[in-house]
Structure formats: C-alpha cells, structure tokens
mmCIF file of all heavy atoms in Angstrom:
data_model
loop_
_atom_site.group_PDB
_atom_site.id
_atom_site.type_symbol
_atom_site.label_atom_id
_atom_site.label_comp_id
_atom_site.label_asym_id
_atom_site.label_seq_id
_atom_site.Cartn_x
_atom_site.Cartn_y
_atom_site.Cartn_z
ATOM 1 N N ASN A 16 0.830 -1.208 0.000
ATOM 2 C CA ASN A 16 0.000 0.000 0.000
ATOM 3 C C ASN A 16 0.863 1.256 0.000
ATOM 4 O O ASN A 16 0.587 2.210 -0.732
ATOM 5 C CB ASN A 16 -0.935 0.026 1.202
ATOM 6 C CG ASN A 16 -2.081 -0.930 1.068
ATOM 7 O OD1 ASN A 16 -2.395 -1.375 -0.029
ATOM 8 N ND2 ASN A 16 -2.702 -1.267 2.176
ATOM 9 N N ILE A 17 1.911 1.259 0.832
ATOM 10 C CA ILE A 17 2.810 2.409 0.891
ATOM 11 C C ILE A 17 3.437 2.653 -0.476
ATOM 12 O O ILE A 17 3.466 3.774 -0.980
ATOM 13 C CB ILE A 17 3.914 2.195 1.955
ATOM 14 C CG1 ILE A 17 3.319 2.173 3.361
ATOM 15 C CG2 ILE A 17 5.006 3.251 1.845
ATOM 16 C CD1 ILE A 17 2.753 3.481 3.845
ATOM 17 N N SER A 18 3.943 1.599 -1.108
ATOM 18 C CA SER A 18 4.537 1.725 -2.441
ATOM 19 C C SER A 18 3.512 2.226 -3.442
ATOM 20 O O SER A 18 3.813 3.063 -4.291
ATOM 21 C CB SER A 18 5.087 0.377 -2.911
ATOM 22 O OG SER A 18 6.112 -0.043 -2.072
ATOM 23 N N GLY A 19 2.297 1.720 -3.331
ATOM 24 C CA GLY A 19 1.222 2.154 -4.231
ATOM 25 C C GLY A 19 0.911 3.628 -4.079
ATOM 26 O O GLY A 19 0.725 4.339 -5.069
ATOM 27 N N TRP A 20 0.858 4.107 -2.834
ATOM 28 C CA TRP A 20 0.601 5.532 -2.596
ATOM 29 C C TRP A 20 1.706 6.382 -3.207
ATOM 30 O O TRP A 20 1.444 7.423 -3.800
ATOM 31 C CB TRP A 20 0.517 5.836 -1.108
ATOM 32 C CG TRP A 20 -0.655 5.238 -0.417
ATOM 33 C CD1 TRP A 20 -1.865 4.907 -0.964
ATOM 34 C CD2 TRP A 20 -0.733 4.893 0.953
ATOM 35 N NE1 TRP A 20 -2.689 4.376 -0.011
ATOM 36 C CE2 TRP A 20 -2.024 4.359 1.177
ATOM 37 C CE3 TRP A 20 0.147 4.971 2.017
ATOM 38 C CZ2 TRP A 20 -2.437 3.928 2.421
ATOM 39 C CZ3 TRP A 20 -0.273 4.530 3.262
ATOM 40 C CH2 TRP A 20 -1.550 4.019 3.454
ATOM 41 N N TYR A 21 2.941 5.927 -3.050
ATOM 42 C CA TYR A 21 4.065 6.681 -3.589
ATOM 43 C C TYR A 21 3.982 6.764 -5.113
ATOM 44 O O TYR A 21 4.067 7.843 -5.692
ATOM 45 C CB TYR A 21 5.396 6.046 -3.154
ATOM 46 C CG TYR A 21 6.579 6.790 -3.689
ATOM 47 C CD1 TYR A 21 7.023 7.944 -3.055
ATOM 48 C CD2 TYR A 21 7.224 6.380 -4.839
ATOM 49 C CE1 TYR A 21 8.104 8.666 -3.555
ATOM 50 C CE2 TYR A 21 8.305 7.088 -5.345
ATOM 51 C CZ TYR A 21 8.727 8.230 -4.696
ATOM 52 O OH TYR A 21 9.785 8.937 -5.207
ATOM 53 N N ILE A 22 3.789 5.637 -5.751
ATOM 54 C CA ILE A 22 3.719 5.592 -7.214
ATOM 55 C C ILE A 22 2.537 6.410 -7.725
ATOM 56 O O ILE A 22 2.663 7.181 -8.672
ATOM 57 C CB ILE A 22 3.665 4.134 -7.710
ATOM 58 C CG1 ILE A 22 5.014 3.463 -7.412
ATOM 59 C CG2 ILE A 22 3.320 4.064 -9.187
ATOM 60 C CD1 ILE A 22 4.995 1.964 -7.541
ATOM 61 N N GLU A 23 1.385 6.275 -7.075
ATOM 62 C CA GLU A 23 0.204 7.040 -7.481
ATOM 63 C C GLU A 23 0.440 8.541 -7.314
ATOM 64 O O GLU A 23 0.090 9.346 -8.176
ATOM 65 C CB GLU A 23 -1.012 6.623 -6.660
ATOM 66 C CG GLU A 23 -2.261 7.415 -6.989
ATOM 67 C CD GLU A 23 -3.425 7.079 -6.074
ATOM 68 O OE1 GLU A 23 -3.408 6.022 -5.425
ATOM 69 O OE2 GLU A 23 -4.359 7.893 -6.017
ATOM 70 N N GLY A 24 1.046 8.919 -6.195
ATOM 71 C CA GLY A 24 1.301 10.329 -5.948
ATOM 72 C C GLY A 24 2.210 10.939 -6.991
ATOM 73 O O GLY A 24 1.955 12.025 -7.505
ATOM 74 N N ILE A 25 3.261 10.223 -7.343
ATOM 75 C CA ILE A 25 4.205 10.720 -8.333
ATOM 76 C C ILE A 25 3.559 10.772 -9.718
ATOM 77 O O ILE A 25 3.735 11.727 -10.467
ATOM 78 C CB ILE A 25 5.465 9.828 -8.377
ATOM 79 C CG1 ILE A 25 6.230 9.937 -7.054
ATOM 80 C CG2 ILE A 25 6.370 10.179 -9.545
ATOM 81 C CD1 ILE A 25 6.710 11.328 -6.736
ATOM 82 N N ALA A 26 2.795 9.763 -10.045
ATOM 83 C CA ALA A 26 2.250 9.641 -11.395
ATOM 84 C C ALA A 26 1.084 10.576 -11.673
ATOM 85 O O ALA A 26 0.937 11.078 -12.780
ATOM 86 C CB ALA A 26 1.832 8.194 -11.652
ATOM 87 N N SER A 27 0.228 10.809 -10.694
ATOM 88 C CA SER A 27 -1.032 11.451 -11.056
ATOM 89 C C SER A 27 -1.444 12.648 -10.208
ATOM 90 O O SER A 27 -2.458 13.250 -10.491
ATOM 91 C CB SER A 27 -2.152 10.413 -10.996
ATOM 92 O OG SER A 27 -2.326 9.978 -9.654
ATOM 93 N N GLN A 28 -0.705 13.006 -9.198
ATOM 94 C CA GLN A 28 -1.209 14.042 -8.311
ATOM 95 C C GLN A 28 -0.375 15.314 -8.295
ATOM 96 O O GLN A 28 -0.477 16.114 -7.385
ATOM 97 C CB GLN A 28 -1.353 13.486 -6.894
ATOM 98 C CG GLN A 28 -2.387 12.398 -6.821
ATOM 99 C CD GLN A 28 -2.627 11.953 -5.399
ATOM 100 O OE1 GLN A 28 -2.314 12.652 -4.453
ATOM 101 N NE2 GLN A 28 -3.202 10.781 -5.235
ATOM 102 N N ASN A 29 0.474 15.507 -9.294
ATOM 103 C CA ASN A 29 1.244 16.738 -9.393
ATOM 104 C C ASN A 29 1.931 17.080 -8.075
ATOM 105 O O ASN A 29 1.689 18.120 -7.477
ATOM 106 C CB ASN A 29 0.342 17.893 -9.838
ATOM 107 C CG ASN A 29 1.154 19.104 -10.240
ATOM 108 O OD1 ASN A 29 2.309 18.979 -10.647
ATOM 109 N ND2 ASN A 29 0.555 20.274 -10.121
ATOM 110 N N CYS A 30 2.753 16.172 -7.618
ATOM 111 C CA CYS A 30 3.412 16.385 -6.339
ATOM 112 C C CYS A 30 4.915 16.201 -6.464
ATOM 113 O O CYS A 30 5.425 15.734 -7.474
ATOM 114 C CB CYS A 30 2.839 15.460 -5.287
ATOM 115 S SG CYS A 30 3.214 13.727 -5.556
ATOM 116 N N TYR A 31 5.593 16.592 -5.417
ATOM 117 C CA TYR A 31 7.036 16.461 -5.308
ATOM 118 C C TYR A 31 7.341 15.334 -4.329
ATOM 119 O O TYR A 31 6.527 15.033 -3.456
ATOM 120 C CB TYR A 31 7.659 17.754 -4.784
ATOM 121 C CG TYR A 31 7.324 18.967 -5.608
ATOM 122 C CD1 TYR A 31 6.210 19.741 -5.313
ATOM 123 C CD2 TYR A 31 8.133 19.335 -6.673
ATOM 124 C CE1 TYR A 31 5.907 20.862 -6.060
ATOM 125 C CE2 TYR A 31 7.831 20.458 -7.432
ATOM 126 C CZ TYR A 31 6.717 21.219 -7.116
ATOM 127 O OH TYR A 31 6.419 22.325 -7.859
ATOM 128 N N SER A 32 8.535 14.769 -4.449
ATOM 129 C CA SER A 32 8.901 13.709 -3.512
ATOM 130 C C SER A 32 10.366 13.811 -3.140
ATOM 131 O O SER A 32 11.173 14.406 -3.858
ATOM 132 C CB SER A 32 8.636 12.336 -4.123
ATOM 133 O OG SER A 32 9.566 12.063 -5.148
ATOM 134 N N ASN A 33 10.683 13.242 -2.013
ATOM 135 C CA ASN A 33 12.063 13.086 -1.572
ATOM 136 C C ASN A 33 12.177 11.724 -0.924
ATOM 137 O O ASN A 33 11.297 11.312 -0.155
ATOM 138 C CB ASN A 33 12.451 14.178 -0.581
ATOM 139 C CG ASN A 33 12.821 15.455 -1.285
ATOM 140 O OD1 ASN A 33 13.884 15.550 -1.876
ATOM 141 N ND2 ASN A 33 11.936 16.431 -1.225
ATOM 142 N N LEU A 34 13.245 11.035 -1.271
ATOM 143 C CA LEU A 34 13.516 9.719 -0.699
ATOM 144 C C LEU A 34 14.823 9.790 0.071
ATOM 145 O O LEU A 34 15.744 10.513 -0.321
ATOM 146 C CB LEU A 34 13.646 8.664 -1.803
ATOM 147 C CG LEU A 34 12.367 8.364 -2.564
ATOM 148 C CD1 LEU A 34 12.278 9.222 -3.796
ATOM 149 C CD2 LEU A 34 12.307 6.913 -2.938
ATOM 150 N N LEU A 35 14.903 9.032 1.149
ATOM 151 C CA LEU A 35 16.105 8.977 1.961
ATOM 152 C C LEU A 35 16.615 7.545 1.967
ATOM 153 O O LEU A 35 15.860 6.620 2.289
ATOM 154 C CB LEU A 35 15.797 9.440 3.388
ATOM 155 C CG LEU A 35 16.955 9.452 4.380
ATOM 156 C CD1 LEU A 35 18.044 10.422 3.934
ATOM 157 C CD2 LEU A 35 16.442 9.832 5.771
ATOM 158 N N PHE A 36 17.883 7.367 1.588
ATOM 159 C CA PHE A 36 18.510 6.054 1.537
ATOM 160 C C PHE A 36 19.725 6.023 2.457
ATOM 161 O O PHE A 36 20.349 7.055 2.710
ATOM 162 C CB PHE A 36 18.997 5.741 0.111
ATOM 163 C CG PHE A 36 17.905 5.519 -0.881
ATOM 164 C CD1 PHE A 36 17.433 6.550 -1.661
ATOM 165 C CD2 PHE A 36 17.352 4.256 -1.047
ATOM 166 C CE1 PHE A 36 16.425 6.349 -2.590
ATOM 167 C CE2 PHE A 36 16.348 4.044 -1.973
ATOM 168 C CZ PHE A 36 15.881 5.089 -2.743
ATOM 169 N N THR A 37 20.094 4.834 2.899
ATOM 170 C CA THR A 37 21.344 4.656 3.622
ATOM 171 C C THR A 37 22.488 4.669 2.611
ATOM 172 O O THR A 37 22.259 4.646 1.399
ATOM 173 C CB THR A 37 21.383 3.314 4.381
ATOM 174 O OG1 THR A 37 21.413 2.246 3.430
ATOM 175 C CG2 THR A 37 20.202 3.161 5.325
ATOM 176 N N SER A 38 23.708 4.653 3.105
ATOM 177 C CA SER A 38 24.862 4.610 2.209
ATOM 178 C C SER A 38 24.920 3.298 1.429
ATOM 179 O O SER A 38 25.572 3.211 0.399
ATOM 180 C CB SER A 38 26.159 4.797 3.002
ATOM 181 O OG SER A 38 26.293 3.774 3.962
ATOM 182 N N LYS A 39 24.183 2.288 1.902
ATOM 183 C CA LYS A 39 24.127 0.996 1.202
ATOM 184 C C LYS A 39 22.885 0.876 0.328
ATOM 185 O O LYS A 39 22.486 -0.217 -0.054
ATOM 186 C CB LYS A 39 24.182 -0.148 2.209
ATOM 187 C CG LYS A 39 25.489 -0.179 2.974
ATOM 188 C CD LYS A 39 25.521 -1.291 3.980
ATOM 189 C CE LYS A 39 26.850 -1.246 4.732
ATOM 190 N NZ LYS A 39 26.931 -2.267 5.762
ATOM 191 N N GLN A 40 22.271 2.024 0.034
ATOM 192 C CA GLN A 40 21.101 2.114 -0.848
ATOM 193 C C GLN A 40 19.859 1.402 -0.316
ATOM 194 O O GLN A 40 19.014 0.962 -1.080
ATOM 195 C CB GLN A 40 21.443 1.609 -2.259
ATOM 196 C CG GLN A 40 22.514 2.433 -2.952
ATOM 197 C CD GLN A 40 22.119 3.903 -3.062
ATOM 198 O OE1 GLN A 40 21.061 4.229 -3.553
ATOM 199 N NE2 GLN A 40 22.975 4.788 -2.583
ATOM 200 N N LYS A 41 19.729 1.308 0.991
ATOM 201 C CA LYS A 41 18.507 0.772 1.603
ATOM 202 C C LYS A 41 17.567 1.947 1.876
ATOM 203 O O LYS A 41 17.991 2.974 2.416
ATOM 204 C CB LYS A 41 18.822 0.031 2.898
ATOM 205 C CG LYS A 41 17.605 -0.565 3.548
ATOM 206 C CD LYS A 41 17.990 -1.490 4.676
ATOM 207 C CE LYS A 41 16.791 -1.912 5.470
ATOM 208 N NZ LYS A 41 16.035 -2.988 4.955
ATOM 209 N N LEU A 42 16.315 1.801 1.478
ATOM 210 C CA LEU A 42 15.341 2.876 1.668
ATOM 211 C C LEU A 42 15.046 3.069 3.154
ATOM 212 O O LEU A 42 14.664 2.130 3.845
ATOM 213 C CB LEU A 42 14.038 2.566 0.924
ATOM 214 C CG LEU A 42 12.938 3.619 1.059
ATOM 215 C CD1 LEU A 42 13.344 4.927 0.387
ATOM 216 C CD2 LEU A 42 11.633 3.107 0.475
ATOM 217 N N VAL A 43 15.253 4.284 3.635
ATOM 218 C CA VAL A 43 14.928 4.655 5.010
ATOM 219 C C VAL A 43 13.497 5.156 5.061
ATOM 220 O O VAL A 43 12.723 4.801 5.934
ATOM 221 C CB VAL A 43 15.890 5.744 5.533
ATOM 222 C CG1 VAL A 43 15.449 6.246 6.897
ATOM 223 C CG2 VAL A 43 17.314 5.226 5.573
ATOM 224 N N GLY A 44 13.125 6.004 4.101
ATOM 225 C CA GLY A 44 11.780 6.567 4.079
ATOM 226 C C GLY A 44 11.617 7.550 2.935
ATOM 227 O O GLY A 44 12.533 7.766 2.143
ATOM 228 N N PHE A 45 10.439 8.143 2.882
ATOM 229 C CA PHE A 45 10.145 9.129 1.842
ATOM 230 C C PHE A 45 9.029 10.043 2.301
ATOM 231 O O PHE A 45 8.332 9.764 3.274
ATOM 232 C CB PHE A 45 9.745 8.444 0.527
ATOM 233 C CG PHE A 45 8.428 7.729 0.572
ATOM 234 C CD1 PHE A 45 7.241 8.414 0.340
ATOM 235 C CD2 PHE A 45 8.361 6.375 0.849
ATOM 236 C CE1 PHE A 45 6.019 7.764 0.373
ATOM 237 C CE2 PHE A 45 7.148 5.715 0.886
ATOM 238 C CZ PHE A 45 5.977 6.413 0.649
ATOM 239 N N TYR A 46 8.876 11.135 1.587
ATOM 240 C CA TYR A 46 7.692 11.969 1.760
ATOM 241 C C TYR A 46 7.257 12.521 0.419
ATOM 242 O O TYR A 46 8.045 12.671 -0.501
ATOM 243 C CB TYR A 46 7.901 13.078 2.789
ATOM 244 C CG TYR A 46 8.915 14.144 2.448
ATOM 245 C CD1 TYR A 46 8.546 15.254 1.696
ATOM 246 C CD2 TYR A 46 10.216 14.057 2.909
ATOM 247 C CE1 TYR A 46 9.474 16.249 1.403
ATOM 248 C CE2 TYR A 46 11.145 15.054 2.623
ATOM 249 C CZ TYR A 46 10.761 16.141 1.873
ATOM 250 O OH TYR A 46 11.671 17.131 1.572
ATOM 251 N N LEU A 47 5.961 12.769 0.318
ATOM 252 C CA LEU A 47 5.333 13.374 -0.859
ATOM 253 C C LEU A 47 4.649 14.654 -0.420
ATOM 254 O O LEU A 47 4.046 14.702 0.650
ATOM 255 C CB LEU A 47 4.253 12.458 -1.437
ATOM 256 C CG LEU A 47 4.658 11.084 -1.942
ATOM 257 C CD1 LEU A 47 3.418 10.249 -2.225
ATOM 258 C CD2 LEU A 47 5.484 11.225 -3.194
ATOM 259 N N TYR A 48 4.719 15.696 -1.265
ATOM 260 C CA TYR A 48 4.035 16.925 -0.903
ATOM 261 C C TYR A 48 3.581 17.686 -2.139
ATOM 262 O O TYR A 48 4.086 17.472 -3.239
ATOM 263 C CB TYR A 48 4.918 17.813 -0.023
ATOM 264 C CG TYR A 48 6.126 18.408 -0.709
ATOM 265 C CD1 TYR A 48 6.115 19.719 -1.161
ATOM 266 C CD2 TYR A 48 7.288 17.669 -0.875
ATOM 267 C CE1 TYR A 48 7.226 20.276 -1.779
ATOM 268 C CE2 TYR A 48 8.413 18.220 -1.482
ATOM 269 C CZ TYR A 48 8.371 19.523 -1.933
ATOM 270 O OH TYR A 48 9.474 20.070 -2.537
ATOM 271 N N GLN A 49 2.621 18.554 -1.921
ATOM 272 C CA GLN A 49 2.130 19.467 -2.945
ATOM 273 C C GLN A 49 2.345 20.889 -2.450
ATOM 274 O O GLN A 49 2.314 21.144 -1.242
ATOM 275 C CB GLN A 49 0.643 19.248 -3.214
ATOM 276 C CG GLN A 49 0.342 17.919 -3.851
ATOM 277 C CD GLN A 49 -1.153 17.686 -4.022
ATOM 278 O OE1 GLN A 49 -1.936 17.987 -3.143
ATOM 279 N NE2 GLN A 49 -1.533 17.136 -5.160
ATOM 280 N N HIS A 50 2.541 21.792 -3.399
ATOM 281 C CA HIS A 50 2.751 23.200 -3.065
ATOM 282 C C HIS A 50 1.727 24.047 -3.813
ATOM 283 O O HIS A 50 1.471 23.817 -4.985
ATOM 284 C CB HIS A 50 4.169 23.623 -3.464
ATOM 285 C CG HIS A 50 4.400 25.084 -3.323
ATOM 286 N ND1 HIS A 50 4.452 25.709 -2.102
ATOM 287 C CD2 HIS A 50 4.575 26.047 -4.254
ATOM 288 C CE1 HIS A 50 4.656 26.996 -2.295
ATOM 289 N NE2 HIS A 50 4.726 27.230 -3.594
ATOM 290 N N ASN A 51 1.161 25.028 -3.103
ATOM 291 C CA ASN A 51 0.181 25.924 -3.708
ATOM 292 C C ASN A 51 0.381 27.326 -3.141
ATOM 293 O O ASN A 51 -0.049 27.605 -2.032
ATOM 294 C CB ASN A 51 -1.234 25.431 -3.423
ATOM 295 C CG ASN A 51 -2.283 26.266 -4.106
ATOM 296 O OD1 ASN A 51 -1.970 27.192 -4.846
ATOM 297 N ND2 ASN A 51 -3.527 25.957 -3.848
#
C-alpha cells in the first residue's frame, strides 16, 4: 500500500517527492508533498 501511494502520488497528483537512503542504498523513508 505504501509503495502504491508513492507511485500514485508521483504519477497522477502533481506532487514532489524526496527519498532517503542509507549509504548501502537501503530505503529509510520518503515523503510526498504538494505546493500551492
């Protein structure tokens, strides 16, 4: 579900994203946002 929300947000909701990874490229987390 989390992955689905991320993909949907990027694809269809005109939003920005930032992802945080460890030095070994393991996903720590992400956030999605809109600006108006």
Side-chain angles (χ1 to χ4, degrees):
N16 286 342
I17 293 292
S18 297
W20 293 333
Y21 180 81
I22 292 166
E23 178 185 341
I25 294 299
S27 65
Q28 295 186 19
N29 192 26
C30 68
Y31 304 91
S32 71
N33 279 286
L34 293 93
L35 180 62
F36 291 94
T37 67
S38 60
K39 296 179 181 178
Q40 297 302 307
K41 181 170 171 83
L42 180 66
V43 173
F45 68 85
Y46 65 86
L47 299 169
Y48 68 100
Q49 293 176 318
H50 172 69
N51 184 3

